[in-house]
């Protein structure tokens, strides 16, 4: 059993000064992402969609991080598990459903890419691909652009811990360190790269331990604690905006579901381990915290769940009713015309 | 018009584009204070500063990836790979990232960047300083690829590449950097990407070439004209992708015979596609076999000059191939 993480059942709200409204928005965003994700698994099991890669378990760190950004201003170069992250930045459940069904009007790629390849210029979401870690040195380029222009925009790039074995990760953070770029590299460490556990991925106990080799700050945070995650990213943002350079933030979390709809995680980890981790689930913990604080009530939970269910239902219905893209769309667009220069 | 070397023309292009557009910056190994190992960026660091002529870490993957990221964020990077032979660590970033962004975002994002790399043999560079890599990249839709053969085109194409909204790879014939001289106008101009050029008129056969091989082909064409009375038409491909099929096909339809010269390995080289297009789209005009003169199918250009010269096409070898085809 892989137990290199010690996360508590508590929420660490030290120094957090957020309005009730914001705390409730965080909770709603987490619940919404979870229910949308769960529905997608159901659609796959019903044979209605071909593929799903899930973000379940990661909602704490993703919502915390996304809420800390200046949304629509900062650049976010995300990876495939970042459904909750993208939703906070403005991606909609309807767009998600168009994506998983591969329907016309899907906004990130016109249904050319598999789901979970985020891209939205207005929301500052950079275009994602499937090869892992390629986004890290690209993010250094984005942060370099901001630095050259003298903006205080920060680029946040995310990836899993397995992806940190790629050379792209090292080259990207090396650039970020050399040029003190306004960049945050957020590693969502869920201990498994598909089936390969962390100890076969690296010889250090924490991804963030590598930060000194780039001459940058390294931070470990409990990724199942939305407020601790928010605070870690907020501090990294302040460092980056004030010229203090990049931060490598490692969020310890867990993926209680298979890697994707094509994976069977029973082949590489015990049910006991998964159940143990479910007790530390980010949503449950935050819910308990908000109930204890009197910010949330049973009635409010019911209302939020109802609202989310309605939105997910509507999103699914809209996507099911939408047409598939015309086959000839496969032929374009290959080259940008000159006027986009 | 002043006469300059090919590399000076490239330097002028970068100088003018840096001057014209403050989104343009250069990065690569030794491009700063040193002015590039071939001196392509000499003087630009002093003129524009360390923020716009950036010495990169010795890491090709991120030279390209940082360029992609900066381009996505609205900049116009010019990324130099010191030798084309060293571009492969960046292969994934080029063919899976830069080439695909416009398509995979349904046109929302584009990657306006330039990747420059000196290529080609005949300079005593051995296996890892002589390679021709254009075929690998010509196979990836989404990239544009230009290879200039003279200073006028080098300057005009590089300037057009900087202004193009797509990733453009500029492969530069390094043997010709100082060998090939030509006139470059004082006034502002660009050479449009996507056009080949008939650089010599003739009726007997057409020779297709680009880069250093085009330079040699013009020499060979003069040799056979004087010695054998053979009048070659010569087409400088200039833009490998997107290919100017009209110019390519029109010349073949006139002469009926084609010799394609490239210094890359013969098998599946760029010339193979040209041959396929000619045979497919102008079959009824064919008056002889479509011939290719290229490097042999061995892993690289050897170091010792005897073996190197054996590998490389030369004006004499091209002239020989022209005579054979003309006699067919």
């Amino acid at each position: 059993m892989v137990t290199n993480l010690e996360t508590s059942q508590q929420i660490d709200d030290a120094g957090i000064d957020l309005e009730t409204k914001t705390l409730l928005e965080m909770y709603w965003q987490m619940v919404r992402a979870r229910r949308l994700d769960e529905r997608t698994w159901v659609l796959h099991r019903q044979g209605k969609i071909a593929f799903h890669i899930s973000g379940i378990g990661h909602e704490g760190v993703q919502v915390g991080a996304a809420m800390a950004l200046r949304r629509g201003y900062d650049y976010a170069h995300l990876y495939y598990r970042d459904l909750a992250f993208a939703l906070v930045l403005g991606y909609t459940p309807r767009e998600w459903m168009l994506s998983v069904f591969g329907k016309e009007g899907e906004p990130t790629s016109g249904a050319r890419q598999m789901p979970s390849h985020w891209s939205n210029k207005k929301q500052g979401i950079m275009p994602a691909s499937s090869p892992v870690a390629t986004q890290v040195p690209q993010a250094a380029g984005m942060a370099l652009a901001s630095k050259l222009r003298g903006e205080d925009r920060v680029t946040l790039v995310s990836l899993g811990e397995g992806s940190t074995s790629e050379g792209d990760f090292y080259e990207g953070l090396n650039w970020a360190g050399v040029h003190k770029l306004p960049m945050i590299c957020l590693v969502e460490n869920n201990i498994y790269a598909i089936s390969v556990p962390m100890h076969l991925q690296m010889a250090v106990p924490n991804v963030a331990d590598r930060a000194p080799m780039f001459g940058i700050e390294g931070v470990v945070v409990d990724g199942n604690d939305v407020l601790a995650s928010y605070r870690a990213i907020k501090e990294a943002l302040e460092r980056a905006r004030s010229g203090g350079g990049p931060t490598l933030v490692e969020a310890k979390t867990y993926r209680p579901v298979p890697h994707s709809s094509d994976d069977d995680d029973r082949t590489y980890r015990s049910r006991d381990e998964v159940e143990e981790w479910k007790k530390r689930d980010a949503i449950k913990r935050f819910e308990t915290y908000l109930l204890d604080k009197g910010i949330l009530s049973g009635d409010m939970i019911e209302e939020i769940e109802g609202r989310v269910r309605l939105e997910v239902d509507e999103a699914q219905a809209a996507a099911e009713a939408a047409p598939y893209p015309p086959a000839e769309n496969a032929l374009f667009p290959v080259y940008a015309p000159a006027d986009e220069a | 018009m002043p006469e300059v070397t090919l590399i000076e023309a490239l330097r002028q292009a970068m100088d003018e584009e840096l001057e014209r557009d403050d989104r343009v910056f250069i990065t690569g190994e030794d491009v700063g204070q040193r002015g590039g190992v071939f001196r392509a960026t000499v003087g630009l660091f002093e003129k524009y500063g360390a923020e716009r002529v950036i010495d990169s870490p010795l890491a090709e993957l991120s030279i390209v990836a940082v360029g992609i990221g900066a381009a996505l964020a609205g900049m116009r990077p010019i990324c130099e790979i010191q030798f084309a032979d060293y571009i492969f660590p960046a292969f994934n970033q080029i063919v899976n990232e830069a080439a695909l962004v416009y398509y995979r975002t349904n046109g929302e994002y584009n990657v306006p960047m330039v990747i420059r790399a000196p290529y080609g043999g005949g300079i005593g560079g051995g296996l890892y300083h002589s390679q021709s890599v254009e075929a690998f990249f010509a196979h990836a839709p989404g990239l544009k690829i230009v290879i200039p053969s003279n200073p006028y085109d080098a300057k005009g194409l590089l300037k057009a590449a900087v202004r193009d909204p797509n990733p453009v790879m500029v492969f530069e014939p390094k043997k010709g950097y100082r060998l090939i001289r030509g006139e470059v106008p004082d006034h502002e101009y660009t050479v449009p990407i996507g056009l080949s050029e008939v650089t010599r008129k003739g009726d007997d056969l057409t020779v297709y070439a680009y880069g250093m091989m085009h330079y040699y082909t013009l020499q060979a064409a003069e040799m056979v004209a004087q010695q054998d009375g053979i009048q070659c038409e010569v087409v400088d491909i200039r833009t490998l992708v997107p290919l100017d099929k009209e110019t390519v096909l029109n010349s073949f339809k006139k002469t009926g015979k084609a010799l394609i010269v490239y210094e890359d390995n013969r098998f599946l080289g760029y010339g193979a596609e040209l041959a396929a297009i000619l045979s497919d789209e102008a079959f009824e005009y064919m008056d002889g076999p479509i011939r290719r003169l290229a490097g042999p199918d061995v892993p690289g250009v050897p170091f010792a000059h005897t073996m190197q010269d054996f590998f490389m096409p030369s004006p004499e070898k091209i002239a020989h191939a022209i005579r054979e085809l003309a006699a067919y």
Side-chain angles (χ1 to χ4, degrees), chain A residues 7-266:
Chain A
T7 58
S8 75
Q9 311 280 353
Q10 306 299 312
I11 291 285
D12 175 8
D13 62 1
I16 296 284
D17 184 24
L18 291 171
E19 289 177 29
T20 300
K21 197 179 89 195
T22 309
L23 294 170
L24 287 172
E25 185 190 345
M26 284 176 155
Y27 175 73
W28 165 69
Q29 290 282 14
M30 291 165 74
V31 170
R32 185 168 71 138
R34 175 69 58 91
R35 301 295 171 248
L36 188 61
D37 204 314
E38 288 168 344
R39 177 69 60 85
T40 311
W41 279 105
V42 170
L43 291 172
H44 181 266
R45 296 310 186 224
Q46 290 175 335
K48 288 186 172 179
I49 62 167
F51 181 77
H52 176 43
I53 194 153
S54 177
I56 287 179
H58 289 229
E59 296 92 344
V61 53
Q62 290 177 19
V63 171
M67 294 286 290
L69 293 184
R70 237 193 267 171
R71 285 179 261 181
Y73 179 70
D74 292 326
Y75 294 139
H77 208 354
L78 306 177
Y79 86 121
Y80 52 84
R81 286 212 198 284
D82 285 330
L83 174 60
F85 207 131
L87 287 168
V88 175
L89 295 182
Y91 190 64
T92 68
R94 191 171 184 278
E95 292 170 338
W96 166 257
M97 284 295 179
L98 287 169
S99 174
V100 297
F101 279 95
K103 291 293 185 75
E104 187 165 25
E106 189 285 311
T108 65
S109 74
R112 285 167 182 78
Q113 292 220 78
M114 295 172 90
S116 306
H117 291 65
W118 327 107
S119 177
N120 187 310
K121 206 179 231 177
K122 264 212 318 275
Q123 294 162 3
I125 303 178
M126 288 297 177
S129 64
S130 300
V132 298
T134 53
Q135 69 271 31
V136 180
Q138 291 173 15
M142 293 156 194
L144 178 68
S146 297
K147 189 182 174 189
L148 294 179
R149 289 193 291 249
E151 306 163 347
D152 68 348
R153 194 194 310 264
V154 177
T155 300
L156 182 146
V157 60
S158 63
L159 68 164
E161 89 289 348
S163 307
T164 69
S165 297
E166 293 279 4
D168 300 58
F169 171 77
Y170 294 88
E171 290 199 25
L173 287 184
N174 188 47
W175 267 85
V178 168
H179 291 281
K180 264 197 151 182
L181 298 177
M183 173 170 152
I184 298 170
C185 183
L186 172 62
V187 176
E188 299 177 28
N189 182 353
N190 63 23
I191 339 176
Y192 288 96
I194 303 187
S195 68
V196 179
M198 191 182 156
H199 71 269
L200 292 178
Q201 208 69 243
M202 64 195 82
V204 286
N206 304 296
V207 172
D209 292 348
R210 292 159 166 167
M213 68 188 272
F214 307 112
I216 68 175
E217 289 294 320
V219 174
V220 179
V221 66
D222 180 350
N224 284 9
D225 180 340
V226 61
L227 295 186
S229 299
Y230 171 87
R231 185 176 55 235
I233 297 299
K234 196 89 186 159
E235 286 169 3
L237 282 165
E238 281 160 16
R239 182 177 300 118
R241 283 199 223 286
S242 61
T247 308
L248 173 59
V249 179
E250 175 184 13
K252 305 282 195 185
T253 185
Y254 195 77
R255 156 174 65 78
V257 293
H259 161 72
S260 76
S261 54
D262 296 326
D263 181 34
D264 180 356
D265 67 321
R266 290 169 302 186

Side-chain angles (χ1 to χ4, degrees), chain A residues 75 77 106-110 112-113 119-122 124-135 137-149 167-168 171-172 174-175 178-179 329-341, chain B residues 23 25 27-28 50-52 54-63 65-76 89 92-93 96-99 101-110 112 140-144 163-167 241-242:
Chain A
Y75 294 139
H77 208 354
E106 189 285 311
T108 65
S109 74
R112 285 167 182 78
Q113 292 220 78
S119 177
N120 187 310
K121 206 179 231 177
K122 264 212 318 275
I125 303 178
M126 288 297 177
S129 64
S130 300
V132 298
T134 53
Q135 69 271 31
Q138 291 173 15
M142 293 156 194
L144 178 68
S146 297
K147 189 182 174 189
L148 294 179
R149 289 193 291 249
D168 300 58
E171 290 199 25
N174 188 47
W175 267 85
V178 168
H179 291 281
N329 280 13
L331 285 175
F332 61 83
V334 182
Y335 292 103
D339 58 352
E340 291 189 28
Chain B
R23 297 173 302 174
F25 72 93
T27 190
E51 292 220 318
R52 299 191 65 201
I54 304 169
D55 274 321
S56 73
L58 208 170
E60 289 80 10
L61 182 163
S62 50
I63 292 171
V66 163
I68 293 170
L72 288 169
M75 303 296 281
R76 294 289 182 275
N92 188 47
Q93 286 286 346
N96 259 337
E97 300 288 338
V101 165
Y102 192 66
Y103 185 80
R104 80 181 188 215
T105 63
N106 198 17
E108 186 176 46
Y109 279 101
N110 57 307
L143 303 173
K144 293 185 179 182
R163 300 175 193 192
D164 199 281
N166 299 283
V241 183

